[in-house]
Amino acid sequence: MTVGADGARATFLRSSGPADGDAALWALDLDSFDEHLIAPGPIDSYAVDRDARVAAFARGGRLFRADLAAGAVTAIPTADPVHDPRPDPPGVRIGYVTDPGGSASLRVTGPDGDRLLAGEPGNAWREHGGNIAWGVAGAGAAEFGRTRGWWWSPDGTQVLAVRTAGSISLHLLDLDDGWVDVHWDRETYPHLAQVSWSGGGPLITVLRRAQQHGLVLSVDPRTGETQVHAELADARWVEPIPGTPRHLPDGRVLVGGELAHDGFDARCLFADGSLVTPPGLYVRRVAGTLPRPDGPPGAPDLIVEGSLADPAIREVFRVRTSLGGGGPEVIRLADASPELVTGGDVLIVGGRVWRGDRWAGTLRSLAAPLPYRPEPVLERVTDRRLPAAVLYPAGFVGGGLPVLVALGDGPGAQQVRAEPAAWQERQWWADAGFAVVSVDCRGTPGVAPSFEKAVHRRLADLVLADLVDALRALPGKHPDLDLTRVAAYGRGLGGWLAALAALRGPEVFHCAVARNPVLNWGDLPRPVAERYLGDPADSAHVYRSHDLTGELAEAGPDGPVLLTGAEPGLPGELAWIKQRLAA
């Protein structure tokens, strides 16, 4: 979902119903609240110009341009299949990438025709082997939340592009064929974690390989020279906040960071070093800005998703950016939603639309109703106040229940959330005759930075200890939990943790199902593995202590762990768990 900067129009993708996976492009007139179908599906993604007057999308490798005001869609001829098309902010030209899996090139089409902006097709890295790519995110970028590899300048006269050739570099490309390199110490700071260019010059965040130190840099769009705006440092790892860095209208640079002194343990926002959010607000992301009612035009409020006091509850807040007495000012607006966007004076949260302080309406939804109405009991347990939850079968009235510890996607993925959609699969398990237990162990975001990062280089030991302690604490309030019958279930890293629990804690965890598990941390993307376990060159013993391959081989096919692949597999997994627990 996107809202134009003038607040006149919103665009979004919508399927025609629960059984239809082909999403179509729609536009919403925010004055009349009329919806208009712009282009039928399948459309996986799209991009718009600054005011959402022009959209670009690819379908089957073909490029399309949509006039969102008139509703007209035009196919634009290109020589090669198109990926990641994006109109420039004025809506005149469209840039796109070709061959993103090989020698990717960046091209621009517009009134002066279609031409190559940057690309080196057929060239190989002599020292590495492989292709040189322009305009793609690059390996490891997604682990920092960066999914793009090129950006338009606000006036549409330049493009900032990633070049991948063994390592990542950045370049400023003029549409008149001039270009300059972006200069920073790429050998010391090889990770390009964040890039934004919405006002002023580009802002980037770069990290050392160990991720314990980073720099927020502003880029001079004429020379490519950089200036340090902020340093990010942590003895474990740096965790940038999505939506930052960004320029504020008054010229300050907004940076996400952590407050870890004078008794504070907080994830906050800073503007040129001044604290913008209160320490009690755990900031998860910055979605955009909104004009402040009766406030100066150059000092809009930030729209922030975060948690205040309870990590299970995610909410949307307005945060004052203007300087003033009394400290940070925060106003709660709504429950959080993945569909959280702003533009002009418009805020959209989960399909609900506000203009200024006035509710304007709600978008139609064709989504099927959620099949279950789960009522998990949320707790904080042990002296570490671990977030935990117990979910019972629907209509449960009492009696001993076997316990299924649901580990989801594992460390780094929050399980205990006060959102019905997060509990649908777990309710299916519960209704099969389990008390489903979820625990956010140390290493999980949402509580505090120290809670999340305590697991550095000792993830397995601390997470297992937290799981065991939480299970032993829960029967005090939940006597129906039968701890003589406990199974664990997870996917990916959650599958790794489930297998780890059954192999190393058989007195507590009697069996485990691991779907698509990570067995060797060396198989993970380098940024993920090194964030938790450090550099394998000097932490080989840490990697060995987290490797399950040998332990699974020793346990054999009749051991306490069932390894499974992709869906569908739930009925077979359920039957296996019941058989093991009965034995």
Side-chain angles (χ1 to χ4, degrees):
M1 184 171 288
T2 313
V3 180
D6 61 0
R9 186 177 296 103
T11 54
F12 55 92
L13 296 178
R14 174 198 278 146
S15 64
S16 62
D20 179 17
D22 292 342
L25 179 62
W26 289 74
L28 172 70
D29 186 310
L30 289 165
D31 291 323
S32 64
F33 221 77
D34 292 333
E35 296 180 4
H36 304 280
L37 175 64
I38 302 298
I43 300 174
D44 294 327
S45 63
Y46 72 97
V48 299
D49 65 342
R50 180 174 45 241
D51 290 331
R53 298 178 182 275
V54 172
F57 61 91
R59 186 164 52 199
R62 299 178 62 199
L63 175 62
F64 293 88
R65 181 186 189 275
D67 182 328
L68 297 174
V73 178
T74 305
I76 307 296
T78 60
D80 299 298
V82 170
H83 301 268
D84 192 23
R86 295 180 179 276
D88 63 8
V92 176
R93 298 176 177 85
I94 298 174
Y96 63 92
V97 174
T98 63
D99 191 19
S103 301
S105 298
L106 188 58
R107 302 186 66 90
V108 174
T109 183
D112 49 355
D114 187 299
R115 64 190 182 91
L116 178 69
L117 188 62
E120 299 163 71
N123 290 339
W125 323 330
R126 293 183 179 178
E127 65 275 27
H128 299 285
N131 299 314
I132 296 175
W134 283 85
V136 295
E143 313 308 329
F144 300 107
R146 182 174 63 81
T147 58
R148 295 177 55 183
W150 69 279
W151 300 262
W152 283 107
S153 65
D155 61 5
T157 63
Q158 287 181 292
V159 166
L160 179 65
V162 170
R163 179 180 183 267
T164 304
S167 62
I168 283 180
S169 56
L170 266 180
H171 307 268
L172 285 154
L173 311 171
D174 294 333
L175 296 189
D176 61 4
D177 296 326
W179 61 279
V180 295
D181 301 331
V182 176
H183 302 287
W184 82 91
D185 185 350
R186 293 192 290 116
E187 187 171 330
T188 303
Y189 298 93
H191 291 312
L192 178 64
Q194 297 168 308
V195 179
S196 67
W197 199 358
S198 57
L203 293 169
I204 64 175
T205 302
V206 296
L207 302 177
R208 289 179 180 264
R209 177 177 166 179
Q211 302 175 53
Q212 294 168 339
H213 190 268
L215 302 174
V216 176
L217 305 173
S218 62
V219 181
D220 187 324
R222 299 167 302 160
T223 66
E225 297 298 327
T226 57
Q227 176 184 350
V228 177
H229 266 285
E231 292 191 44
L232 308 174
D234 191 280
R236 290 75 50 99
W237 71 83
V238 167
E239 189 76 37
I241 293 178
T244 66
R246 67 168 61 213
H247 283 289
L248 297 177
D250 59 9
R252 291 178 297 162
V253 174
L254 185 74
V255 174
E258 293 166 2
L259 195 60
H261 57 80
D262 296 334
F264 292 116
D265 185 10
R267 187 162 157 85
C268 306
L269 296 173
F270 302 85
D272 282 2
S274 298
L275 187 64
V276 174
T277 52
L281 175 62
Y282 183 98
V283 179
R284 296 178 182 271
R285 65 168 167 142
V286 178
T289 61
L290 280 181
R292 184 172 179 81
D294 303 321
D301 287 346
L302 294 173
I303 301 301
V304 171
E305 179 185 340
S307 297
L308 194 61
D310 188 347
I313 299 175
R314 303 186 186 201
E315 298 176 299
V316 180
F317 301 90
R318 288 185 79 124
V319 177
R320 185 183 66 180
T321 62
S322 59
L323 297 174
E329 179 183 305
V330 173
I331 300 173
R332 183 196 177 278
L333 296 179
D335 292 335
S337 166
E339 297 80 31
L340 168 59
V341 293
T342 66
D345 65 345
V346 175
L347 168 68
I348 302 181
V349 185
R352 294 163 292 168
V353 183
W354 283 267
R355 301 205 70 163
D357 292 332
R358 179 178 59 86
W359 176 76
T362 302
L363 286 166
R364 291 186 302 122
S365 173
L366 305 180
L370 294 176
Y372 299 107
R373 302 187 65 173
E375 297 180 354
V377 181
L378 275 56
E379 312 276 7
R380 301 293 290 272
V381 298
T382 80
D383 58 353
R384 293 186 289 278
R385 290 185 49 77
L386 302 171
V390 179
L391 184 63
Y392 292 101
F396 177 73
V397 294
L401 285 172
V403 176
L404 178 65
V405 181
L407 300 171
D409 295 319
Q414 190 174 354
Q415 293 291 302
V416 182
R417 297 165 58 179
E419 303 164 18
W423 296 90
Q424 297 298 304
E425 183 182 48
R426 283 176 277 184
Q427 187 66 64
W428 187 90
W429 282 105
D431 289 350
F434 292 93
V436 177
V437 170
S438 297
V439 182
D440 283 343
C441 306
R442 282 171 289 181
T444 306
V447 177
S450 65
F451 184 89
E452 181 177 359
K453 299 177 182 180
V455 298
H456 185 58
R457 295 169 61 94
R458 49 181 185 157
L459 178 68
D461 291 341
L462 293 193
V463 173
L464 271 184
D466 284 353
L467 284 175
V468 171
D469 289 349
L471 278 174
R472 289 172 173 166
L474 282 170
K477 292 185 178 180
H478 300 272
D480 294 309
L481 271 58
D482 182 357
L483 295 190
T484 66
R485 295 181 291 163
V486 178
Y489 175 86
R491 302 176 296 264
L493 276 176
W496 164 81
L497 183 55
L500 185 83
L503 291 168
R504 299 187 184 177
E507 70 285 354
V508 177
F509 298 93
H510 307 109
C511 65
V513 170
R515 175 174 293 169
N516 294 323
V518 173
L519 303 181
N520 185 336
W521 278 71
D523 296 333
L524 286 170
R526 175 180 289 177
V528 174
E530 295 186 354
R531 181 180 306 156
Y532 287 106
L533 306 188
D535 186 343
D538 57 23
S539 305
H541 65 290
V542 178
Y543 280 77
R544 284 194 299 271
S545 71
H546 288 73
D547 189 343
L548 293 181
T549 307
E551 295 181 57
L552 285 168
E554 185 177 341
D558 296 325
V561 178
L562 174 65
L563 304 179
T564 68
E567 303 272 10
L570 291 175
E573 294 163 353
L574 173 64
W576 185 87
I577 289 175
K578 287 187 171 181
Q579 181 182 21
R580 294 290 305 207
L581 293 182

